[in-house]
């Protein structure tokens, strides 16, 4: 279930969220009625959950005069291994870049929702927090870590085009010390979550029909629509030309 966190920054309730995915992940969402959560270090960015080189020097200046200093290290990779995340794009309109990055051009879908629906739809037992991702220059800016979740909602400024909203929960390691699974699932109320199912730009008609047919099995077939990026461009403009007046006799 969703829980507010005082140190995170969730979007406003009316923020529009998009989850771009390939067809197999869409089928998994429908079949499981659950969102796919992945370990952050499996997402492809080696900086996930890290702090910046600028952080330790900034901490030194915050120590009170006379404080005792003990040398030690905190390895933030332990929190990365415990975390599971599910990532959304925030934006009022479809993103051509997100289609290219996270789906194959003609056989992907995007789930559209708003944040109010999203948090209400989280019905699983896991305690899920949500935050907008902050984008920072890791060479010069400090990454806060007063809470284990904070480094996990910061990314390098080169990723700011993603405008990511991240759902996150922590899995406590097993008592036997065995590594936990790299992925997890959080149960959702599917009709409550999905506002629209948008089919990838320039998808064939048969693929749109397939997505709609599959969604109908789960009572949400009426929410399927083609991407607006598939609209045909307009190059001609009708012009009304007044007729020449006939000379009076």
């Amino acid at each position: 279930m969703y829980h507010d966190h005082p140190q995170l920054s969730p979007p406003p309730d009316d923020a529009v969220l998009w989850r771009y995915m390939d067809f197999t992940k869409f089928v998994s969402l429908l079949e499981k009625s659950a969102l796919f959560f992945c370990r952050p270090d499996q997402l492809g960015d080696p900086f996930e959950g890290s702090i910046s080189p600028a952080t330790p020097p900034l901490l030194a200046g915050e120590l009170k005069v006379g404080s005792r200093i003990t040398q030690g290290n905190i390895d933030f990779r332990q929190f990365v291994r415990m975390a599971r995340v599910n990532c959304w794009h925030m934006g009022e309109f479809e993103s051509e870049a997100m289609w290219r990055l996270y789906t194959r051009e003609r056989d992907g879908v995007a789930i559209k929702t708003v944040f109010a629906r999203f948090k209400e739809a989280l019905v699983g037992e896991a305690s899920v927090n949500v935050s907008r991702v902050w984008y920072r220059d890791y060479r010069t800016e400090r990454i806060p870590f007063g809470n284990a979740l904070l480094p996990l909602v910061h990314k390098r400024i080169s990723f700011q085009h993603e405008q990511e909203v991240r759902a996150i929960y922590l899995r406590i390691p097993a008592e036997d010390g065995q590594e936990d699974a790299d992925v997890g699932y959080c149960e959702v109320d599917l009709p409550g979550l999905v506002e629209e199912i948008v089919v990838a730009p320039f998808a064939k008609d048969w693929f749109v029909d397939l997505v709609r047919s599959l969604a109908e099995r789960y009572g949400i077939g009426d929410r399927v629509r083609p991407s607006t990026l598939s609209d045909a461009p307009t190059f001609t403009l009708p012009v009304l030309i007044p007729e020449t007046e006939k000379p009076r006799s």
Side-chain angles (χ1 to χ4, degrees), residues 189-240:
D189 170 18
L190 200 58
L193 172 69
V194 177
E195 182 175 293
E196 291 183 349
I197 301 169
V198 183
V199 184
F202 311 113
K204 301 292 187 182
D205 290 343
W206 66 264
F207 183 72
V208 178
D209 291 341
L210 175 62
V211 171
R212 183 174 290 110
S213 175
L214 184 60
E216 283 174 352
R217 300 181 193 177
Y218 300 87
I220 52 177
D222 59 336
R223 306 180 199 187
V224 176
R225 68 165 176 83
S227 166
T228 57
L229 296 177
S230 301
D231 294 349
T234 299
F235 292 105
T236 59
L237 182 68
V239 179
L240 298 178

Side-chain angles (χ1 to χ4, degrees), residues 9-149:
S9 178
D13 281 350
D14 60 354
V16 179
L17 305 180
W18 304 81
R19 172 77 173 167
Y20 294 86
M21 63 186 73
D22 63 33
F23 183 69
T24 56
K25 290 183 179 179
F26 173 64
V27 173
S28 175
L29 169 64
L30 296 183
E31 290 288 332
K32 295 179 181 292
S33 289
L35 288 173
F36 174 87
F37 280 70
C38 183
R39 220 171 79 174
D41 56 356
Q42 304 297 316
L43 294 174
D45 178 11
F47 280 70
E48 284 282 358
S50 69
I51 59 172
S52 66
T55 301
L58 288 171
L59 284 177
E62 297 174 0
L63 292 174
K64 296 180 180 179
V65 176
S67 297
R68 295 185 60 185
I69 300 175
T70 302
Q71 179 66 41
N73 293 303
I74 301 174
D75 190 343
F76 289 91
R77 286 172 292 192
Q78 63 182 311
F79 304 119
V80 175
R81 289 191 291 267
M82 292 169 58
R84 302 294 180 271
V85 299
N86 180 263
C87 308
W88 293 69
H89 171 75
M90 183 171 67
E92 186 176 353
F93 303 101
E94 290 179 56
S95 167
E96 195 269 353
M98 293 298 105
W99 279 119
R100 289 183 181 273
L101 281 171
Y102 293 105
T103 73
R104 291 189 289 263
E105 286 190 24
R106 296 176 183 269
D107 59 356
V109 300
I111 302 300
K112 179 184 176 183
T113 189
V114 294
F115 184 56
R117 294 182 70 128
F118 178 81
K119 60 185 180 182
E120 290 295 325
L122 294 169
V123 295
E125 295 182 358
S127 178
V128 178
N129 304 119
V130 178
S131 180
R132 289 175 286 188
V133 170
W134 290 287
Y135 299 95
R136 297 288 184 265
D137 182 348
Y138 274 51
R139 290 186 173 184
T140 62
E141 296 184 79
R142 172 184 174 180
I143 306 304
F145 59 90
N147 181 280
L149 295 178

